[in-house]
């Protein structure tokens, strides 16, 4: 394997991540792997206001990329015969009085209709809040422990968005229910099952399910949150936090190397039997979402990538791959987050620029 951690061979990649930093992000680390060739680079700073660059092998919170790991774990249990995709979830979790029409497949594909415990935006512009995850309230309580059962009960106290299976809407609650289901059926914590069925088989030594742990192992870049207190803007380092507020909807920590290994192995058939992998990558028509992954078009030739990105308190994680796992893009972007998500547009532009650079250009010979 050829590793080229400098910009000489792929200057367009270094330029792309530098544009990301120039658009307002603090730092970026990027890994592109294409049929055995590797490019690794970074730009910006490790800490706000300092010059040291972010590590190219740094650990970071991967946010909703966690959902792809959880989906892979659940599908491994399906392959083992422990779970069934179209079995009613209430049969596995009788204590929550779930709609009996909701199946495991609906949880993984976000078609259950269950309220999102982090809040719901409705087409008419209405927002119904859930657990606090922004503003000073979140900053002040960022080390609080939330039980996954309580997150689910909060969600179930709100009206469902739609009848099960009749529509699509992204809901973190689906993946917390999946966690509880795994724990109920196996009798073991999700973190233990994740190690047994996903992390250990792939040798993902730098990927963890922290559950309630606030630390993140070195090396890592730092993330920040900006909020208003008594009429003044305050910016705080939120690198350390208790991720139980998002639970299995987005709590995991990884590296660009481990994300590459995971998505490449998954899509090349090393984790799941071919029929289950095909189901995972079959998108819902409304949003292009399969079972824990988006199937996204890229470029003018009709090519697609399999992806899931994540964002959590000043950190964005990118994970893209060709459908056969032969070419991947994995990255971490750090920034100063805020309640208005002021960098959202810049993030969309950054990811589109990277996608175009890596996947919508001439293939490697």
């Amino acid at each position: 394997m050829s590793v080229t951690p400098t910009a000489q061979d792929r200057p367009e990649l270094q330029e792309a991540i530098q544009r990301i930093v120039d658009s307002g992000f603090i730092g970026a680390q990027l890994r592109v792997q294409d049929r055995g060739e590797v490019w690794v680079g970074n730009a910006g700073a490790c800490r706000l206001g300092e010059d040291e660059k972010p590590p190219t092998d740094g650990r970071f919170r991967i946010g909703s990329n966690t959902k792809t790991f959880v989906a892979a774990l659940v599908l491994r249990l399906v392959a083992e015969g422990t779970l069934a995709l179209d079995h009613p979830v209430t049969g596995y979790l009788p204590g929550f009085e779930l709609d009996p029409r909701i199946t495991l497949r609906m949880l993984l594909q976000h078609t259950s209709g269950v309220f999102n415990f982090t809040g719901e935006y409705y087409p008419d512009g209405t927002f119904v809040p859930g657990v606090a995850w922004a503003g000073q309230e979140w900053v002040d309580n960022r080390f609080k422990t939330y039980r996954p059962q309580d997150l689910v009960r909060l969600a179930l106290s709100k009206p469902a968005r739609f009848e099960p299976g009749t529509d699509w809407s992204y809901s973190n609650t689906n993946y917390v229910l999946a966690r509880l289901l795994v724990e109920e059926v196996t009798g073991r914590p999700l973190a233990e099952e994740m190690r047994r069925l996903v992390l250990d088989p792939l040798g993902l030594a730098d990927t963890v399910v922290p559950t309630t742990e606030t630390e993140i192992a070195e090396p890592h870049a730092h993330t920040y949150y900006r909020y208003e207190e008594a009429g003044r803007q305050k910016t705080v380092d939120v690198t350390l936090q208790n991720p139980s507020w998002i639970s299995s909807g987005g709590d995991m920590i990884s590296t660009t190397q481990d994300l590459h290994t995971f998505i490449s192995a998954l899509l090349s058939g090393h984790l799941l039997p071919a029929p289950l992998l095909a189901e995972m990558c079959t998108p819902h028509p409304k949003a292009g979402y399969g079972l824990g992954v988006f199937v996204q078009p890229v470029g003018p030739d009709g090519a697609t990538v399999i992806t899931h990105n994540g964002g959590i308190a000043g950190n964005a994680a990118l994970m893209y791959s060709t459908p056969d796992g032969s070419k991947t893009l994995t990255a971490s972007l750090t920034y100063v987050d805020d309640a208005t998500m002021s960098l959202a547009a810049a993030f969309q532009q950054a990811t589109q620029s990277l996608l175009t650079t890596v996947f919508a250009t001439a293939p490697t010979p």
Side-chain angles (χ1 to χ4, degrees):
M1 180 180 290
S2 171
V3 179
T4 56
T6 63
Q8 278 70 33
D9 296 329
R10 299 291 302 272
E12 76 281 7
L13 295 177
Q14 187 66 42
E15 290 167 6
I17 57 174
Q18 186 59 52
R19 285 196 300 271
I20 290 170
V21 171
D22 293 343
S23 72
F25 288 82
I26 299 171
Q29 54 176 305
L30 171 67
R31 176 179 295 268
V32 174
Q33 301 203 196
D34 186 2
R35 296 170 179 86
E37 296 296 314
V38 186
W39 186 91
V40 180
N42 58 4
C46 183
R47 295 173 183 262
L48 187 64
E50 298 186 5
D51 295 330
E52 180 188 356
K53 286 190 173 183
T56 55
D57 60 348
R59 296 171 176 87
F60 51 89
R61 300 186 189 277
I62 65 172
S64 285
N65 289 24
T66 300
K67 293 181 174 70
T68 310
F69 282 86
V70 173
L73 166 60
V74 168
L75 292 172
R76 291 271 280 178
L77 291 170
V78 171
E80 285 187 347
T82 305
L83 298 173
L85 270 177
D86 295 308
H87 192 283
V89 174
T90 190
Y92 298 117
L93 292 172
F96 288 100
E97 299 183 358
L98 290 160
D99 189 313
R101 295 170 292 177
I102 297 174
T103 65
L104 178 54
R105 183 190 302 274
M106 291 177 191
L107 296 186
L108 298 185
Q109 196 159 39
H110 296 299
T111 57
S112 70
V114 174
F115 182 89
N116 183 1
F117 68 82
T118 52
E120 286 279 16
Y121 288 91
Y122 290 88
D124 64 359
T126 303
F127 175 69
V128 178
V131 67
W133 59 274
Q136 184 177 352
E137 183 180 2
W138 175 76
V139 172
D140 290 345
N141 291 282
R142 67 187 183 278
F143 298 110
K144 177 180 176 179
T145 293
Y146 293 84
R147 297 173 66 245
Q149 295 88 342
D150 294 337
L151 298 176
V152 168
R153 291 191 176 97
L154 169 62
L156 296 179
S157 72
K158 309 289 186 180
R161 283 198 66 131
F162 48 79
E163 299 289 310
T166 64
D167 203 347
W168 184 92
S169 183
Y170 192 90
S171 174
N172 290 299
T173 311
N174 289 317
Y175 277 76
V176 179
L177 282 165
R179 167 191 174 172
L180 293 173
L181 189 155
V182 167
E183 294 179 340
E184 178 68 24
V185 170
T186 66
R188 291 181 288 271
L190 179 86
E192 187 175 322
E193 282 296 277
M194 187 69 75
R195 284 194 301 272
R196 180 177 77 89
L197 289 174
V198 179
L199 305 184
D200 287 351
L202 297 181
L204 304 183
D206 292 322
T207 301
V208 297
V209 181
T211 310
T212 61
E213 291 295 321
T214 63
E215 301 292 322
I216 179 168
E218 295 284 358
H220 62 79
H222 286 248
T223 61
Y224 300 86
Y225 195 88
R226 179 174 56 237
Y227 66 99
E228 187 173 298
E229 182 180 47
R232 298 180 61 185
Q233 292 282 323
K234 294 188 67 173
T235 298
V236 294
D237 188 320
V238 293
T239 308
L240 306 185
Q241 58 167 286
N242 183 333
S244 62
W245 66 269
I246 189 63
S247 185
S248 48
D251 64 353
M252 290 178 68
I253 294 168
S254 191
T255 64
T256 60
Q257 173 64 73
D258 274 10
L259 288 184
H260 154 74
T261 301
F262 167 67
I263 195 65
S264 181
L266 175 65
L267 295 177
S268 59
H270 286 80
L271 280 179
L272 299 175
L276 278 178
L277 180 59
E279 292 207 55
M280 187 181 201
C281 296
T282 299
H284 186 277
K286 181 172 182 178
Y289 200 88
L291 307 179
V293 292
F294 284 96
V295 182
Q296 180 178 332
V298 57
D301 59 356
T304 62
V305 291
I306 308 299
T307 179
H308 212 307
N309 294 332
I312 178 169
N315 208 131
L318 311 182
M319 182 174 66
Y320 291 90
S321 177
T322 51
D324 63 356
S326 64
K327 180 190 285 190
T328 67
L329 180 166
T330 53
S332 168
L333 313 178
T334 52
Y335 56 100
V336 179
D337 203 355
D338 57 33
T340 64
M341 296 184 289
S342 56
L343 279 176
F347 173 72
Q348 293 299 326
Q349 293 168 0
T351 54
Q352 188 56 52
S353 173
L354 282 173
L355 274 178
T356 301
T357 302
V358 174
F359 293 102
T361 56
T364 300

